[in-house]
Amino acid sequence: MSFVTESSINEDFVFLDKMSEHEQVVFCNDKATGLRAIIAIHNTTLGPALGGCRMQPYRSLDAALNDVLRLSKGMSYKCAAADVDFGGGKAVIIGDPLTDKSPELFRAFGQFVESLGGRFYTGTDMGTTMDDFVYAKKETNNIVGVPEAYGGSGDSSIPTATGVLGGIKATNQILFGKDNLQGVTYAIQGLGKVGFKVAEGLLDEGADLYVTDINEKSIQAIQERAKTMSGSVKVVSNNDIYSQEADVFVPCAFGGIVNDDTISQFKVKAIAGSANNQLATEEHGIQLAEKGILYAPDYIINSGGLIQVADELYGANKERVLMKTREIYNVILKVYQEAELNQITTMEAANQICEKLMEGRGKRNSFYTPSIKPKWDIRK
């Protein structure tokens, strides 16, 4: 026999309070495969929720819940800024991506996604791969970002990097009155799938780079690429990347890198990169503004990948994706202009722009029917 105590009631209210902004939060448990996951749907005003699924060995259920709630809310703003007819959602799988994956686990996860009746579409994120979702797709069609051989649109890091380079150009336009990439120095943190492509794009334009990465092979690879390009590369340690006297800091790895420890080290004029949730808190955005450091809101500058996977649901079209990704340049410029005009931080300006978009479009976009093709399917 179990008893409901005052402490357990209080704990339940704490959980409910955390989820108060969200439309739906689903806890998924499948003993046969060991699946433990959470799906969070923040807002479907603009359409069914869309967001990736990450896999991490979270230290607790509370840590996993906090992560999925924060990420799913960010996706609502990201979808609005990217001008796609989807709302915000996210999923997390609790487990070690190196040891806990199995085809059966992702098929079980696909069944939970299918149970939501078209309210949530998902695909790869940190700790998961396109191949993982080939198995999930056996159980549901509400999967995006699978390999091209399975009807997907391919590597989403390509449009993500393209969008980041466009956002850097917009940043340079504000800083220097021209949007050229050359003649400017960049400190790049992380040379993963996106960061490496960003570095290549900058080198190709003749930029000088400071780079760091925990993977020595990535460091060696970018040094080799620099030999055939007009730009240059200098390798620095992970801790020293924050204090380089570069013009633009380009975070392409971890989130929360603008924090109490790093903000005093920055000597750059701007921060513009692909990492998610770069500000540890909103207060750090204010501190950047006080230091005169321009900040490109991460959920806008890194939205190229989202644009591609959203487009996949209409029938993959690389030319259409490229066209929408190029708009990131103009959106970032608008954010900077609104922040200057209203004397607010760029993050506040971005949020206000997205909230207005959601309010305005919400009157027109709430007509999708779950489990069937969206009524806005342009293939008709």
Side-chain angles (χ1 to χ4, degrees):
M1 181 177 294
S2 62
F3 296 89
V4 177
T5 65
E6 182 178 353
S7 61
S8 67
I9 292 174
N10 289 339
E11 288 175 0
D12 288 341
F13 276 117
V14 169
F15 264 68
L16 288 172
D17 185 58
K18 288 182 179 180
M19 298 182 283
S20 62
E21 291 186 50
H22 288 67
E23 293 180 9
Q24 188 174 8
V25 179
V26 180
F27 292 81
C28 313
N29 183 47
D30 183 75
K31 290 184 178 180
T33 63
L35 174 71
R36 293 182 299 156
I38 308 173
I39 299 171
I41 297 175
H42 176 256
N43 189 299
T44 58
T45 299
L46 299 184
L50 175 63
C53 172
R54 63 176 49 183
M55 186 173 186
Q56 287 186 207
Y58 292 97
R59 66 182 183 275
S60 66
L61 178 64
D62 201 36
L65 179 63
N66 287 336
D67 202 27
V68 77
L69 294 179
R70 177 176 54 87
L71 292 167
S72 57
K73 180 178 179 179
M75 287 303 300
S76 292
Y77 288 84
K78 193 169 186 173
C79 286
D83 189 29
V84 297
D85 290 330
F86 292 90
K90 207 76 174 181
V92 297
I93 295 175
I94 303 171
D96 188 334
L98 297 178
T99 59
D100 296 334
K101 286 184 180 180
S102 69
E104 292 75 22
L105 182 142
F106 280 92
R107 290 191 72 151
F109 176 72
Q111 290 177 334
F112 280 106
V113 173
E114 179 66 14
S115 73
L116 293 172
R119 281 175 53 78
F120 177 61
Y121 289 78
T122 192
T124 63
D125 201 316
M126 185 186 302
T128 60
T129 69
M130 290 190 293
D131 290 335
D132 294 329
F133 287 93
V134 170
Y135 298 108
K137 197 170 176 65
K138 293 177 183 291
E139 304 294 338
T140 180
N141 287 322
N142 300 330
I143 299 295
V144 293
V146 293
E148 291 183 76
Y150 291 88
S153 51
D155 186 358
S156 63
S157 69
I158 296 173
T160 303
T162 299
V164 171
L165 289 168
I168 292 173
K169 287 183 177 181
T171 301
N172 288 353
Q173 179 64 45
I174 297 297
L175 292 176
F176 309 113
K178 57 182 181 180
D179 60 12
N180 298 339
L181 295 174
Q182 70 268 29
V184 179
T185 55
Y186 305 89
I188 303 180
Q189 181 188 46
L191 295 170
K193 289 186 292 185
V194 175
F196 195 92
K197 293 179 178 66
V198 171
E200 285 184 307
L202 293 171
L203 287 171
D204 193 45
E205 294 291 328
D208 296 320
L209 312 181
Y210 299 95
V211 301
T212 191
D213 194 277
I214 58 175
N215 188 331
E216 185 60 32
K217 290 183 178 179
S218 296
I219 293 291
Q220 293 172 357
I222 201 64
Q223 289 175 314
E224 286 298 313
R225 293 291 288 131
K227 292 177 182 178
T228 64
M229 296 180 172
S230 52
S232 67
V233 167
K234 179 180 179 181
V235 179
V236 300
S237 71
N238 292 326
N239 291 331
D240 290 341
I241 194 67
Y242 303 108
S243 59
Q244 296 305 307
E245 294 189 5
D247 294 307
V248 182
F249 179 61
V250 186
C252 296
F254 309 106
I257 47 81
V258 180
N259 54 51
D260 291 338
D261 293 329
T262 63
I263 205 161
S264 62
Q265 300 180 52
F266 288 126
K267 300 173 184 176
V268 294
K269 299 178 178 69
I271 297 176
S274 67
N276 286 311
N277 302 307
Q278 295 168 27
L279 302 178
T281 68
E282 293 183 6
E283 176 62 29
H284 292 106
I286 296 172
Q287 292 177 25
L288 285 181
E290 290 173 346
K291 288 193 67 170
I293 298 176
L294 198 59
Y295 175 66
D298 47 55
Y299 68 78
I300 296 179
I301 195 171
N302 69 12
S303 61
L306 166 69
I307 290 169
Q308 175 167 297
V309 296
D311 182 82
E312 193 175 294
L313 292 168
Y314 300 95
N317 185 305
K318 292 183 179 180
E319 184 177 348
R320 189 168 61 226
V321 169
L322 181 60
M323 181 176 65
K324 286 184 69 66
T325 301
R326 286 173 177 157
E327 273 301 301
I328 292 173
Y329 174 95
N330 293 320
V331 178
I332 291 290
L333 275 183
K334 182 178 180 180
V335 167
Y336 290 155
Q337 292 162 356
E338 289 288 315
E340 177 66 23
L341 179 65
N342 297 307
Q343 291 298 292
I344 55 178
T345 69
T346 55
M347 201 65 181
E348 289 172 318
N351 289 345
Q352 288 181 12
I353 289 170
C354 292
E355 286 161 4
K356 288 179 182 178
L357 287 170
M358 284 189 279
E359 181 180 357
R361 293 178 191 167
K363 300 173 183 177
R364 299 173 177 83
N365 285 13
S366 57
F367 53 79
Y368 78 92
T369 303
S371 301
I372 64 172
K373 291 179 181 178
K375 292 183 180 180
W376 57 83
D377 192 335
I378 64 175
R379 290 176 291 176
K380 291 184 178 179

